Amino acid sequence: MNIMKSVLRSGLACLVIGLMQGAVSAAEVQVAVAANFAGPFEKIAAEFAAESGHKAVVAVGATGKFYAQIKNGAPFEILLAADDETPRKLVAEGDGVAGSTFTYAKGKLVLWSAKPGFVDEGGKVLTRADIAHIAIANPKLAPYGLAAEETLKAGKLYDDLKPKFVIGESIAQTFQFVATGNAELGFVAMSQVLVPGKPVEGSYWAVPSNLYSPILQDAVLLKKGEANAAAQALLKFLKSDKAKAVIKSYGYDL
């Protein structure tokens, strides 16, 4: 009987220690995610949690706004930017960890309408006189907005179409302007239009990449996350085949 009690106590002690170790090893990481990457990252975060036990606490928004928030002391530990300039700048200014930046995705710009068959191949719909509103993200805050501006300037359409612009604070808000009918057309991220497992809504034109600067989306470990094992683990997971498969499924290049 005493032997049985001893075995039970030993087993219970091992279970408690195991649970305590699990609690200690599981941690949270605060992640600022560029709006265009919200869909892919939701899936990546779920797979990361299942594999590691760590939880990603996510904020979604415009890269330019995140930069300002980080400079003002926001508690973010990782930034998944919509460009490569902002992470480099944060490292140079001492807010990011040197050597931690890498390109996790290469974005693609599309001209999109919520109406099926409305957008033609080549984007000639932009020249239609009955188009009253064209949504673009703020070029000063969102790299996809800058890409849209570059595209229109390359096609010598910018000056004529500027009075029709509806400016979104982020690519997410820009997408909503079009989805709700507040703009007939909008320049958005391909990842917002090509959602795995769902039919494409509306119509779109994939803007040729030679019309805008490459959208290299970089990750950076911020100083606040330097000592957080969960932050280090998440950045490593972003480079894994599992994460890359999710990223590619949303139309990004790697």
Side-chain angles (χ1 to χ4, degrees), residues 8-67:
L8 287 171
R9 286 197 195 99
S10 177
L12 182 60
C14 288
L15 177 61
V16 171
I17 291 171
L19 289 172
M20 289 176 64
Q21 287 176 338
V24 169
S25 62
E28 291 187 347
V29 52
Q30 304 282 334
V31 189
V33 179
N36 74 88
F37 201 65
F41 190 72
E42 183 178 359
K43 291 189 176 184
I44 290 170
E47 292 190 6
F48 172 66
E51 185 170 299
S52 69
H54 299 313
K55 179 183 178 183
V57 180
V58 182
V60 174
T63 295
K65 282 201 165 185
F66 281 139
Y67 171 79

Side-chain angles (χ1 to χ4, degrees), residues 127 149-161 211:
T127 62
E149 188 177 84
E150 290 175 344
T151 295
L152 292 173
K153 287 181 177 178
K156 303 189 184 326
L157 296 171
Y158 181 81
D159 291 335
D160 289 339
L161 296 180
L211 296 181

Side-chain angles (χ1 to χ4, degrees), residues 7-254:
V7 170
L8 287 171
R9 286 197 195 99
S10 177
L12 182 60
C14 288
L15 177 61
V16 171
I17 291 171
L19 289 172
M20 289 176 64
Q21 287 176 338
V24 169
S25 62
E28 291 187 347
V29 52
Q30 304 282 334
V31 189
V33 179
N36 74 88
F37 201 65
F41 190 72
E42 183 178 359
K43 291 189 176 184
I44 290 170
E47 292 190 6
F48 172 66
E51 185 170 299
S52 69
H54 299 313
K55 179 183 178 183
V57 180
V58 182
V60 174
T63 295
K65 282 201 165 185
F66 281 139
Y67 171 79
Q69 291 169 2
I70 290 165
K71 297 301 293 183
N72 285 318
F76 301 128
E77 296 169 291
I78 288 174
L79 171 64
L80 301 184
D83 64 359
D84 58 344
E85 180 183 349
T86 302
R88 283 201 307 268
K89 191 175 180 181
L90 288 167
V91 170
E93 293 171 348
D95 299 288
V97 178
S100 69
T101 62
F102 64 93
T103 300
Y104 65 89
K106 297 176 183 177
K108 296 180 183 177
L109 184 71
V110 301
L111 178 66
W112 178 64
S113 170
K115 303 175 185 177
F118 192 70
V119 178
D120 60 287
E121 186 60 37
K124 295 182 180 63
V125 65
L126 286 165
T127 62
R128 283 178 48 165
D130 59 340
I131 300 297
H133 302 98
I134 300 170
I136 72 166
N138 188 336
K140 295 180 180 179
L141 297 175
Y144 281 83
L146 179 60
E149 188 177 84
E150 290 175 344
T151 295
L152 292 173
K153 287 181 177 178
K156 303 189 184 326
L157 296 171
Y158 181 81
D159 291 335
D160 289 339
L161 296 180
K162 189 175 181 180
K164 300 181 179 183
F165 288 172
V166 180
I167 306 295
E169 289 189 355
S170 69
I171 201 69
Q173 188 179 53
T174 306
F175 182 87
Q176 284 303 312
F177 285 153
V178 184
T180 56
N182 288 306
E184 298 97 319
L185 296 169
F187 285 95
V188 301
M190 182 174 283
S191 58
Q192 295 171 297
V193 176
L194 295 183
V195 179
K198 294 183 179 180
V200 174
E201 295 185 8
S203 52
Y204 73 95
W205 168 52
V207 179
S209 59
N210 64 321
L211 296 181
Y212 57 91
S213 301
I215 304 175
L216 301 179
Q217 302 194 196
D218 277 17
V220 61
L221 176 64
L222 300 170
K223 284 289 188 178
K224 291 184 186 296
E226 192 170 13
N228 186 350
Q232 299 276 3
L234 177 56
L235 289 174
K236 183 178 179 181
F237 188 78
L238 265 176
K239 299 176 182 179
S240 70
D241 289 341
K242 282 185 179 179
K244 288 179 179 179
V246 173
I247 294 168
K248 289 177 71 175
S249 73
Y250 277 81
Y252 292 95
D253 284 335
L254 295 173

